[in-house]
Amino acid sequence: MIRDLLESDRNQTIELVNQFFRRVNEFELDGLFRIRPRAATKFTDIYFKLIGTGKVYMRGYFLEDELVSLVIGRIEEKPHLEEERSLFIDLAVTKLGKKKNGYMSALLKDVDIWCLEKNIPAIELRAILKNEEAIQFWNKSSFEPFYIRYRKRV
């Protein structure tokens, strides 16, 4: 079942966000890009504070009471573009051992519906190139590569 994440889901949300952050920190990147300890708690709490604004998407897929997958995103205002607004997905993660069961695909269909209801014409996200599992998933999804983001250490 897909539903909004509630304050009562905070601990499970932090656990799943932390799983993702630990995974990112396992990659050999540029030596600067490291997610700090306790970032999952801060990240999650910021989004829970923003829920009432209507400018965030924060929903999860639940098997009974267990949170198995979630998508967290925010509306970006773009007055300089014809699209004017987009939803930027900051985090999309499925619990280890629960992948390849269609939970994320179902959530992404829900994201589409949510965006249509809010007249948001585009959805964007970033994926770390070293996260090959994520790259494969997004390449098989209805998302298309759109631009390349470059990074340089100074």
Side-chain angles (χ1 to χ4, degrees):
M1 165 180 74
I2 295 172
R3 67 167 172 79
D4 289 338
L5 294 173
L6 308 171
E7 192 68 36
S8 59
D9 303 314
R10 180 179 178 270
N11 289 341
Q12 286 192 87
T13 302
I14 291 169
E15 179 183 324
L16 203 44
V17 171
N18 204 28
Q19 172 194 300
F20 178 81
F21 286 178
R22 280 192 308 270
R23 176 81 172 122
V24 169
N25 280 344
E26 290 173 0
F27 297 124
E28 267 188 52
L29 300 172
D30 64 0
L32 289 174
F33 193 92
R34 300 241 350 123
I35 299 171
R36 295 179 179 192
R38 294 177 295 287
T41 300
K42 291 176 185 177
F43 177 91
T44 300
D45 287 345
I46 287 168
Y47 269 92
F48 273 122
K49 287 179 184 173
L50 294 172
I51 282 179
T53 66
K55 294 192 177 220
V56 297
Y57 177 95
M58 194 170 178
R59 291 186 178 163
Y61 196 106
F62 288 82
L63 294 178
E64 296 180 23
D65 292 333
E66 179 188 13
L67 176 62
V68 295
S69 192
L70 63 76
V71 172
I72 298 175
R74 60 191 151 76
I75 294 175
E76 288 188 337
E77 302 291 337
K78 299 177 177 184
H80 56 288
L81 296 178
E82 287 184 16
E83 70 188 45
E84 293 184 353
R85 301 185 319 156
S86 66
L87 179 74
F88 189 87
I89 295 176
D90 281 310
L91 193 100
V93 61
T94 298
K95 197 177 237 184
L96 293 174
K98 304 285 184 181
K99 296 182 179 190
K100 302 197 186 273
N101 287 307
Y103 305 131
M104 184 57 65
S105 296
L107 273 168
L108 292 173
K109 287 178 186 171
D110 186 70
V111 170
D112 288 349
I113 293 166
W114 189 85
C115 287
L116 286 170
E117 290 170 354
K118 294 192 170 286
N119 295 316
I120 297 171
I123 304 167
E124 298 180 19
L125 58 90
R126 291 188 305 230
I128 295 171
L129 289 173
K130 296 269 183 168
N131 189 349
E132 294 174 9
E133 183 181 32
I135 298 295
Q136 288 174 7
F137 175 83
W138 294 115
N139 281 337
K140 290 178 184 175
S141 76
S142 60
F143 285 77
E144 297 175 10
F146 185 69
Y147 59 79
I148 297 174
R149 180 177 174 140
Y150 292 92
R151 184 171 165 90
K152 175 180 149 180
R153 186 176 176 165
V154 292

